[in-house]
Every structure is written in structure tokens, then in C-alpha cells.
Amino acid sequence: MSRTFLSQLTGSFSMPAAENPTVVMMEAAYRHHGLDWRYLNCEVTPALLADAVRGARAMNWAGFNCSIPHKVAVIDHLDGLGESAQIIGAVNTVVRRGDRYIGENTDGRGFIASLPQTFDCRGRSALLLGAGGAARAIAVELALSGIGQILVLNRDAGRGRELASLISGKTAASAEAMVWDGVKKIPQQVDLVVNATSIGLYPGVSACPDIDPDSLRPEQLVADVIPNPPETAFLQAAKQRGCTVLDGLGMLVAQGALALQYWTGVEVDRSVMRRELASVFDSTE
Ligand code: NDP
């Protein structure tokens, strides 16, 4: 076969973009799997998002990720949405299918993919701390994976209620919102607890969600969306109480791996991506 000099193009549109390390794990996966693909980290202002998507179409990009602040705004420039992106109302991965750009959301699916195989969502109950973009994506995917009940604990009451009614209205799961107005105990019936807030993210690494850690039970699976540091103060507290813990680095890697699979069709090696990303985070501490 003759050699080709035309690489497949993918990337990310966000602003600010300089501190987004996704490019490192994506390019590591391309190299590892011998794929002649590129991933470009692009800083795109909201005013020029439409032009950026037109540019991607013109250059026949295979797809791209959208990060802050484009996850909702990009929808107006696409040709359709996958099921969960439609319910979540946000897109983090755009996939070229034929000559159409379809919006998908791999954030919540990345979370599901990072769950231990022994954890079967069906009929279980989850407590979500937070009701922002990450919480919304996780709640929708948990519900689509068969979770029975979702409790949403959020500081802003309206935002919490909105997420609970989205889940109750658009999925088979039941959901209830509670206002987070002081230290809360974890309800005993909950099987999974997820910190989906930004509490504990570098450099605020000593911060911990306002819950009573002694209300955690060893049978509970405790997850954090914070990828940096991977072991947050919250996960340390849960570990000390005998809980199984799940870090946000696994979710970040898994959502990237799912995007790569959408674009290339290859089920990429997540350990290669995790190693590469962890080394970036180590060097920022
Ligand atoms: P949003 O701004 O959409 O939501 C932030 C959430 O955190 C809100 O529910 C907010 O509550 C809550 N919150 C923030 N500070 C506090 C506080 N001091 N006390 C109580 N609640 C608080 O952000 P995202 O959902 O997009 O992102 C949240 C985190 O998730 C980020 O740190 C991000 O890095 C991480 N993330 C990780 C991913 C991964 O793959 N690992 C993927 C996507 C995000 P309120 O509504 O009351 O303001």
C-alpha cells in the first residue's frame, strides 16, 4: 500500500485551553496504537465557535471535544445529538458520521466505564453531591444504566431541583433533591456516593465536601470526579472508613477513551492514557 501523508484530525475547542492536559493522553493513545491521527488543543472564543466548527468541517476533522465554555453552545452548530447528550443537554464529544457532525457526551459514560465490574447499577441508589455539568452527565448515565434512585444534594436549591426533575421526567429512575445547607449525613440506604462538585480540585486540595465522614459505611462505593489530585481529601476520608473508592482520573481517562473509540473505532488502552496524564498532574503538584 502506498504511504499517505494525510493524518486524521481531532482536537479540543475550549477557553482557556492552555492548562487543559487532554491532548497529552489522546496523543499518547494514538502513538501507542500506531494511529496516524492528531489531537490539537485549540483556544476558541465563544464568538468564534461557529467558525471553528465550520473550519473543522472544511478540514474534514473526524471529530473534536468541547470543553468549558462550549459544551451547550456547540449544539446549535451540529447536525444531531446522541441519546444521552440530548437528555443531558450538553456535548463534550463531536463525532463525524458521514458528512454529519453528531454531538455525544462521554463524561457520564466515562464515569460508568470507570465503575468496578462488580458494581451493578440496576436497582441501586446513589447520592450525588452537586448538580452542575458533571453531576448532570453522571446522573443521566446512572439512570440509563438502571440505577433505581438518585438523591441530589446541592447548595443551590433550584439547580438541585432542576436535575432531580430532569431524571424523574426523562428516565426510569426516581430522583429527589435536598438542599446542602450545612454538614449532612450520608443516608444509610445509599450504595454509591459521588462527589460531583469542584471541591478538592488542585490547588484547593485540602477542601472536603461538607458531609459527616463518620456516616459513611464500608459497603458504600465512594467516587470523586476530581482528577487532580486523584486521591482527594474526600476519598482519603472514605478509605479510612473502609469504603471502596473510585478516583476522577479514571473517569477522565475513560471519557477520553470513549471519544477516541467513537472517532477511530479502536478500543484504546486506558492504562497508557492514565500513566501519561498522571505524570502531568504529578508535575503540577
Ligand atoms: P459546574 O460549575 O457546572 O458545577 C459545580 C458544582 O459544584 C455545583 O453543583 C456547585 O454547587 C458545586 N459546588 C462548587 N463549590 C461548592 C462548595 N464550596 N460547596 C458546595 N457545592 C459547591 O462544574 P462541573 O460540574 O462542570 O465540574 C465540577 C467538577 O467536575 C470540576 O472540578 C471538574 O474538574 C470535574 N469534572 C471531572 C470530569 C472527569 O472526567 N473526571 C469531567 C467533568 C468535570 P452550586 O450549584 O450550589 O453552585
Side-chain angles (χ1 to χ4, degrees):
M1 196 172 85
S2 65
R3 195 169 162 198
T4 167
F5 297 95
L6 189 62
S7 304
Q8 292 280 349
L9 297 179
T10 58
S12 167
F13 298 164
S14 67
M15 191 184 150
E19 290 183 5
N20 184 347
T22 296
V23 56
V24 170
M25 66 170 181
M26 302 306 236
E27 289 263 319
Y30 288 155
R31 275 196 308 277
H32 179 77
H33 291 280
L35 295 164
D36 184 16
W37 287 59
R38 296 287 174 278
Y39 188 96
L40 304 171
N41 189 24
C42 305
E43 185 151 275
V44 174
T45 65
L48 292 176
L49 179 62
D51 287 345
V53 177
R54 261 197 297 278
R57 283 185 201 276
M59 291 181 279
N60 202 28
W61 281 34
F64 52 92
N65 288 132
C66 280
S67 195
I68 292 170
H70 303 314
K71 286 186 176 184
V72 176
V74 75
I75 292 172
D76 285 346
H77 311 295
L78 303 179
D79 306 304
L81 295 177
E83 182 193 9
S84 60
Q86 188 141 29
I87 302 175
I88 296 164
V91 164
N92 79 333
T93 302
V94 174
V95 186
R96 187 187 62 209
R97 295 200 178 112
D99 59 358
R100 303 175 77 220
Y101 272 159
I102 305 299
E104 299 283 357
N105 197 313
T106 66
D107 280 336
R109 287 188 49 221
F111 177 80
I112 302 289
S114 74
L115 286 170
Q117 283 186 343
T118 48
F119 187 85
D120 181 357
C121 287
R122 283 171 297 177
R124 311 294 276 280
S125 85
L127 172 70
L128 273 184
L129 309 179
R136 208 174 161 93
I138 290 170
V140 168
E141 296 295 352
L142 282 172
L144 294 178
S145 301
I147 207 130
Q149 192 196 25
I150 298 179
L151 303 172
V152 179
L153 186 59
N154 199 52
R155 196 175 49 176
D156 179 315
R159 215 174 177 194
R161 270 198 309 271
E162 197 189 311
L163 177 53
S165 59
L166 174 84
I167 297 303
S168 308
K170 298 213 170 155
T171 75
S174 70
E176 190 187 319
M178 297 172 297
V179 186
W180 201 355
D181 52 4
V183 183
K184 293 286 177 197
K185 286 192 187 308
I186 304 291
Q188 296 296 293
Q189 83 275 16
V190 158
D191 302 297
L192 168 68
V193 182
V194 187
N195 173 36
T197 73
S198 42
I199 300 168
L201 184 65
Y202 178 86
V205 299
S206 58
C208 207
D210 222 359
I211 57 115
D212 173 5
D214 289 325
S215 62
L216 286 164
R217 288 183 299 109
E219 302 77 33
Q220 289 168 328
L221 174 62
V222 178
D224 205 320
V225 297
I226 300 296
N228 184 24
E231 189 167 287
T232 57
F234 180 54
L235 290 189
Q236 280 168 19
K239 230 177 179 177
Q240 280 162 14
R241 269 93 187 159
C243 304
T244 303
V245 299
L246 194 63
D247 69 38
L249 185 55
M251 172 183 169
L252 188 59
V253 168
Q255 62 78 31
L258 288 166
L260 291 177
Q261 193 171 353
Y262 270 133
W263 298 328
T264 65
V266 174
E267 198 174 328
V268 294
D269 184 339
R270 284 196 248 155
S271 67
V272 171
M273 299 170 72
R274 185 176 170 112
R275 199 163 49 241
E276 213 58 38
L277 200 52
S279 71
V280 173
F281 290 153
D282 281 346
S283 67
T284 61
E285 281 164 18

